[in-house]
């Protein structure tokens, strides 16, 4: 028996030693092993779940002590989740970034903690970058580029971008996928699915399976950089009439599924007010132009760039014209809106702007909200029900209203989760996009400006008229639709002119009185 134990222990020692030597010699990071990543995710989920199950045992629900303790539990749970995302990287960071944008769903402790993931993405080593280029393009760096900066311009959850110069002297940005993300993403999503089901079993009100379904659908698209290049060219052609918009040109001969080479475009992030002030860039003009291009994408074309976080939207003075320019980057994630969905969405926003409550109910129900249409309107606009009733274009956003919205996000979590499981999948990315744009407007202090509602209304009018024209064979009817469209757009223009004159007089009259005195 002793001899058998000695043999077993010797064999185990040999296996462990050889495994250790293999891991060391192959420079394999333990974090890349599925069992380690799975174990880390299970442990974090178990700790967070146990905390929520036990923390409130001796505290009366609804008391000040209860709310204070709940905030502390939210905060430490969010920090554990953030640390998990940073440790497992890749898909975990991507999903964590998405959660950080869900201001309408998650408590502030979660969103503020997870937002830092945009600046906590990992970097691949230069050896790994060279290996991807060697495998995909079949050449060494020196054969493809005159120079190649080793320090990346930026690193994201799925890739990092390096500045380089081609042999013809053109400066380019080379986006290179982290080499392990492709292999790990499917397993990571499966792990998230299993754990979210377990959490839902423990806490029935917690229903975020839609998040996993979205990741399953979108991750393969985001990992295909040729798809990203095609999206970039499509939206550049679609919005070519916006001369303020810059979309870098793709170098197809140096692009693959894991490498995207494009024209280099620099600038400051769209939420950097100091950069804009230093470079003489008008904040209101940038905010208005951002609203114009997104209204056009959503309401008119139904082809929507769904990742407008500040790192993907740059602002600058155009080197040639010296005019303000918006540079739109990262075209991996787009949502294609079906025509019926897009038209109902147009009409819903028109009703929300006007305060037409029967229209709000009608079009919210058509979009799947059912009896939860009041909650849907509040989630969509990030406004209180009182503001929605009055018409969101006529009631300014206040700090107290923002606090009310954040408080209600925690109180109505089960209903919001139910709502998100009801609405069409197209709506989920639109809600994320709305939140990211709203965050930019909040930083720029241009939220709920009249110009944004005017641009939205203008695009809605055009989209609805275009749809009506496609549904009729009568030439006379098409002329009537076009005349009605022109009249509505003219009224909108006159209203815009009235607001401009009113604003000008507000500035001019005090100035004249000062001069006269």
């Amino acid at each position: 028996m002793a001899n058998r134990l000695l043999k077993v222990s010797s064999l185990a020692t040999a296996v462990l030693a050889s495994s250790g030597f293999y891991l060391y010699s192959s420079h394999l990071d333990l974090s890349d092993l599925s069992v380690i990543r799975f174990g880390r995710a299970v442990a974090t989920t178990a700790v967070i779940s146990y905390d929520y199950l036990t923390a409130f045992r001796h505290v009366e629900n609804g008391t000040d002590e209860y709310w204070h303790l709940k905030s502390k539990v939210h905060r430490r749970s969010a920090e554990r989740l953030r640390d998990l995302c940073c440790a497992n990287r890749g898909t975990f960071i991507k999903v964590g970034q998405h959660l950080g944008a869900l201001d309408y769903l998650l408590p502030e402790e979660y969103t503020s903690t997870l937002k830092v993931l945009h600046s906590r993405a990992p970097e691949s080593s230069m050896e790994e970058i060279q290996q991807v280029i060697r495998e995909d393009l079949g050449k060494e760096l020196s054969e493809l580029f005159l120079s190649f900066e080793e320090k990346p311009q930026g690193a994201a959850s799925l890739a990092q971008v390096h500045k380089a110069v081609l042999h013809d002297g053109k400066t380019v940005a080379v986006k290179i996928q982290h080499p392990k993300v492709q292999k790990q993403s499917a397993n990571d999503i499966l792990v998230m699915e299993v754990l979210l089901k377990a959490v839902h079993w423990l806490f029935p009100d917690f229903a975020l399976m839609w998040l996993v379904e979205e990741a399953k659908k979108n991750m393969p698209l985001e990992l295909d950089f040729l798809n990203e290049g095609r999206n970039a060219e499509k939206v550049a052609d679609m919005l070519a009439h916006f001369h303020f918009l810059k979309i870098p040109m793709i170098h197809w001969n140096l692009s693959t599924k894991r490498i995207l080479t494009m024209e280099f475009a620099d600038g400051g992030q769209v939420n950097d007010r100091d950069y804009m002030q230093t470079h003489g860039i008008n904040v209101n003009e940038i905010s208005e132009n951002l609203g114009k291009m997104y209204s056009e994408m959503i309401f008119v074309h139904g082809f929507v760039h769904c990742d407008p976080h500040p790192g993907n939207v740059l602002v600058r003075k155009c080197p040639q014209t010296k005019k303000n320019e918006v540079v739109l980057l990262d075209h991996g994630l787009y949502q294609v809106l079906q025509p019926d969905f897009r038209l109902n969405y147009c009409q819903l926003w028109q009703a929300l702007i006007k305060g037409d409550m029967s229209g709000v109910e009608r079009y919210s129900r058509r979009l799947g909200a059912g009896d939860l249409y009041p909650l849907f309107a509040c989630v969509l606009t990030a406004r209180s029900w009182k503001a929605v009733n009055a018409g969101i274009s006529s009631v300014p956003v206040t700090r107290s209203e923002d606090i009310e919205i954040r408080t209600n996000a925690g109180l109505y979590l089960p209903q919001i989760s139910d709502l998100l499981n009801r609405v069409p999948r197209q709506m989920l990315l639109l809600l994320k996009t709305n939140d990211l744009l709203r965050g930019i407007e909040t930083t720029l202090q241009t939220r709920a400006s009249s110009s944004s509602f005017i641009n939205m209304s203008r695009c809605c009018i055009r989209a609805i008229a275009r749809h009506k024209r496609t549904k009729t064979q009568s030439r006379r009817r098409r002329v009537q639709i076009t005349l009605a469209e022109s009249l509505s757009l003219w009224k909108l223009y006159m209203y815009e002119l009235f607001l401009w004159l009113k604003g000008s007089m507000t500035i001019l009259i005090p100035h004249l009185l000062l001069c006269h005195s």
Side-chain angles (χ1 to χ4, degrees):
M1 183 68 180
N3 285 336
R4 190 176 298 173
L5 282 172
L6 182 62
K7 286 179 182 179
V8 170
S9 62
S10 299
L11 181 62
T13 302
V15 169
L16 286 170
S18 59
S19 299
F21 178 75
Y22 169 75
L23 291 174
Y24 175 77
S25 61
S26 60
H27 304 290
L28 185 65
D29 187 342
L30 288 176
S31 293
D32 297 334
L33 296 176
S34 295
V35 65
I36 298 293
R37 298 165 67 80
F38 176 71
R40 195 184 280 135
V42 168
T44 302
T45 304
V47 170
I48 291 174
S49 299
Y50 182 78
D51 201 0
Y52 277 104
L53 284 169
T54 59
F56 308 103
R57 282 180 179 172
H58 307 296
V59 181
E60 187 180 344
N61 193 343
T63 61
D64 288 344
E65 185 185 1
Y66 172 86
W67 292 114
H68 178 69
L69 179 59
K70 193 167 189 177
S71 177
K72 287 174 70 175
V73 174
H74 283 336
R75 180 72 64 187
R76 61 184 179 239
S77 298
E79 288 169 355
R80 288 167 181 147
L81 191 57
R82 177 202 62 204
D83 293 342
L84 169 65
C85 292
C86 290
N88 276 5
R89 299 172 296 190
T91 308
F92 278 84
I93 286 184
K94 192 72 181 176
V95 172
Q97 288 171 346
H98 192 164
L99 287 170
L102 300 179
D103 292 309
Y104 55 84
L105 175 61
L106 297 178
E108 187 273 338
E109 292 87 350
Y110 275 91
T111 55
S112 62
T113 302
L114 295 176
K115 274 183 171 67
V116 303
L117 290 174
H118 283 293
S119 59
R120 296 278 287 273
E123 288 184 13
S124 293
S125 68
M126 199 57 203
E127 290 75 18
E128 290 172 318
I129 293 299
Q130 288 175 315
Q131 186 61 30
V132 172
I133 289 174
R134 209 175 285 126
E135 289 172 1
D136 282 32
L137 296 175
K139 293 183 179 180
E140 296 297 327
L141 271 180
S142 57
E143 296 178 80
L144 298 168
F145 305 102
L146 187 64
S147 66
F148 189 95
E149 291 186 4
E150 291 196 9
K151 183 174 175 56
Q153 293 281 307
S157 54
L158 306 181
Q160 62 193 52
V161 177
H162 291 261
K163 187 178 181 181
V165 178
L166 301 177
H167 286 288
D168 64 5
K170 290 178 181 173
T171 304
V172 294
V174 188
K175 181 176 179 179
I176 302 167
Q177 195 172 112
H178 298 308
K180 298 155 191 169
V181 169
Q182 193 87 243
K183 295 175 184 175
Q184 293 170 346
S185 63
N187 287 339
D188 286 348
I189 291 170
L190 180 61
V191 168
M192 290 179 203
E193 186 172 16
V194 169
L195 293 178
L196 280 174
K197 283 180 178 176
V199 171
H200 181 53
W201 178 74
L202 281 172
F203 307 96
D205 289 343
F206 186 87
L208 285 181
M209 289 311 298
W210 56 269
L211 189 63
V212 173
E213 295 304 318
E214 285 298 293
K216 274 184 185 177
K217 183 185 77 173
N218 295 322
M219 196 56 66
L221 296 174
E222 291 196 74
L223 289 172
D224 181 358
F225 289 177
L226 293 177
N227 174 66
E228 178 176 343
R230 288 189 293 269
N231 286 343
E233 289 195 341
K234 179 175 177 177
V235 82
D237 182 59
M238 192 175 84
L239 302 180
H241 56 290
F242 288 144
H243 300 299
F244 61 78
L245 176 61
K246 173 70 178 176
I247 293 174
M249 185 185 72
I250 307 299
H251 291 261
W252 289 108
N253 61 319
L254 293 172
S255 297
T256 68
K257 280 197 168 189
R258 295 194 296 170
I259 300 169
L260 188 65
T261 305
M262 69 203 93
E263 174 187 4
F264 183 81
D266 57 358
Q269 291 194 0
V270 71
N271 63 345
D272 190 342
R273 288 178 63 91
D274 291 337
Y275 176 90
M276 291 193 224
Q277 188 173 3
T278 303
H279 291 81
I281 296 172
N282 187 302
V283 171
N284 291 320
E285 182 185 335
I286 292 297
S287 182
E288 184 176 347
N289 287 342
L290 198 60
K292 279 181 182 177
M293 62 193 234
Y294 265 90
S295 291
E296 187 94 6
M297 280 192 267
I298 293 169
F299 300 116
V300 179
H301 299 284
F303 186 67
V304 189
H305 179 286
C306 287
D307 201 12
H309 72 76
N312 289 339
V313 186
L314 306 181
V315 294
R316 67 177 190 173
K317 286 286 186 184
C318 175
Q320 289 78 36
T321 65
K322 305 303 178 188
K323 291 182 178 179
N324 295 338
E325 199 168 58
V326 175
V327 182
L328 190 61
L329 304 173
D330 196 347
H331 300 270
L333 187 58
Y334 271 74
Q335 179 68 67
V336 178
L337 307 181
Q338 297 304 314
D340 287 345
F341 174 93
R342 181 169 54 84
L343 266 295
N344 284 325
Y345 193 65
C346 276
Q347 288 163 320
L348 173 58
W349 269 105
Q350 282 193 312
L352 287 165
I353 290 168
K354 294 174 186 173
D356 171 13
M357 297 315 295
S358 62
V360 169
E361 180 179 356
R362 183 185 317 119
Y363 297 113
S364 294
R365 287 183 181 278
R366 286 188 188 178
L367 289 167
D371 293 335
L372 292 174
Y373 73 88
L375 181 62
F376 180 54
C378 294
V379 165
L380 187 60
T381 59
R383 302 296 302 271
S384 65
W385 183 238
K386 182 180 177 182
V388 170
N389 272 275
I392 57 173
S393 63
S394 59
V395 181
V397 180
T398 62
R399 178 166 173 73
S400 61
E401 186 184 5
D402 269 342
I403 293 170
E404 180 187 342
I405 291 292
R406 286 190 175 279
T407 303
N408 287 343
L411 294 175
Y412 292 102
L413 179 59
Q415 292 88 339
I416 294 173
S417 295
D418 182 21
L419 174 66
L420 295 178
N421 282 307
R422 287 188 192 188
V423 296
R425 300 297 90 183
Q426 301 167 76
M427 183 60 71
L428 300 177
L429 279 180
L430 274 186
L431 289 172
K432 175 195 171 188
T433 305
N434 283 346
D435 269 358
L436 289 169
L437 290 171
R438 199 175 289 124
I440 292 170
E441 288 180 344
T442 300
T443 304
L444 298 181
Q445 298 173 11
T446 57
R447 189 170 159 202
S449 64
S450 58
S451 63
S452 66
F453 293 124
I454 288 168
N455 287 323
M456 289 172 73
S457 298
R458 187 178 285 121
C459 287
C460 288
I461 290 166
R462 286 171 51 211
I464 292 166
R466 179 189 288 185
H467 176 73
K468 286 178 178 177
R469 279 193 291 269
T470 63
K471 294 295 182 182
T472 182
Q473 298 297 318
S474 166
R475 183 171 179 176
R476 180 185 171 194
R477 177 66 186 136
R478 283 201 294 269
V479 170
Q480 287 176 334
I481 293 166
T482 302
L483 288 173
E485 176 191 11
S486 299
L487 180 61
S488 295
L489 290 173
W490 179 80
K491 286 179 179 177
L492 205 56
Y493 170 75
M494 294 306 293
Y495 178 62
E496 190 174 25
L497 182 62
F498 164 74
L499 290 178
W500 179 80
L501 288 170
K502 183 181 176 184
S504 299
M505 292 301 289
T506 304
I507 296 169
L508 188 60
I509 288 173
H511 180 71
L512 290 173
L513 289 172
L514 188 65
C515 291
H516 182 70
S517 62

